[in-house]
Amino acid sequence: YEITTRLVGSEMCIRDSRPSAEALCRRLTKGMELYHISTLVDLISLVSIRTGYSIGGFDAGKIEGDFLTLGVGKENELFHAIGRGILNIENLPVYRDATGPIGTPTSDEERTKLSPDTTQILIIINGYSGENGVENAIKLTTDLLTRYAYACDIETDYVRTY
């Protein structure tokens, strides 16, 4: 599935950007440990590794406005990538709220990152290859959230771009 994400990136003239699922798998194949951040982040990483999808996890309480848009990163658009500092997101697929960018398939933004105080989470599974496998990724995500993060009132929805 990540091959499709990388192809989307190639069509948008992305520089050396590695989708998050691919970066996680590369760490494992090199014998490197994964970062332990929190249960929520660890669950998202596990689903990403198991499914191959790049997955964004955001504190829904920090998202501004009533909706997100998916667009293309602009020249000099400010993006503080979690643990990476300022990231050039020009030509990357970018999710934005009313304030600005919150995530790409390669990184999420500091402003909306998950924290121990997070009580509502938004998870975006980037299924650029279509719906095949997305349902399984959603099921795995909801099962893990229910079992290990004691999540309740989980809502899921497909958002299609054409």
Side-chain angles (χ1 to χ4, degrees):
Y1 300 110
E2 278 311 307
I3 293 170
T4 306
T5 302
R6 196 178 269 287
L7 289 175
V8 167
S10 297
E11 292 168 6
M12 298 174 118
C13 303
I14 295 176
R15 303 133 337 265
D16 184 27
S17 295
R18 191 174 311 287
S20 58
E22 184 179 335
L24 288 168
C25 289
R26 281 178 59 93
R27 286 189 68 82
L28 291 176
T29 58
K30 289 181 174 183
M32 300 168 70
E33 292 186 15
L34 298 179
Y35 304 107
H36 171 70
I37 309 299
S38 70
T39 301
L40 288 175
V41 173
D42 292 349
L43 293 177
I44 292 168
S45 295
L46 176 60
V47 175
S48 188
I49 291 166
R50 294 271 310 265
T51 65
Y53 290 117
S54 289
I55 302 174
F58 310 96
D59 186 325
K62 296 176 183 174
I63 294 173
E64 300 292 331
D66 296 329
F67 59 89
L68 297 179
T69 59
L70 175 61
V72 178
K74 301 171 188 166
E75 184 178 359
N76 298 320
E77 188 168 17
L78 192 59
F79 188 90
H80 294 94
I82 298 171
R84 298 172 66 186
I86 295 177
L87 179 68
N88 178 3
I89 61 169
E90 182 178 0
N91 295 322
L92 287 175
V94 178
Y95 293 99
R96 293 183 183 88
D97 66 4
T99 300
I102 67 164
T104 75
T106 64
S107 190
D108 296 336
E109 229 278 344
E110 284 281 346
R111 178 173 61 85
T112 52
K113 75 179 178 181
L114 300 171
S115 74
D117 298 326
T118 299
T119 59
Q120 292 183 314
I121 184 172
L122 170 66
I123 296 175
I124 298 176
I125 300 172
N126 293 287
Y128 297 117
S129 59
E131 294 179 23
N132 292 338
V134 173
E135 188 65 42
N136 290 336
I138 291 170
K139 182 176 180 349
L140 177 59
T141 302
T142 57
D143 288 349
L144 291 173
L145 286 171
T146 302
R147 181 180 295 168
Y148 297 106
Y150 309 107
C152 56
D153 300 324
I154 297 173
E155 298 176 23
T156 61
D157 196 5
Y158 285 98
V159 178
R160 295 167 182 86
T161 58
Y162 299 99

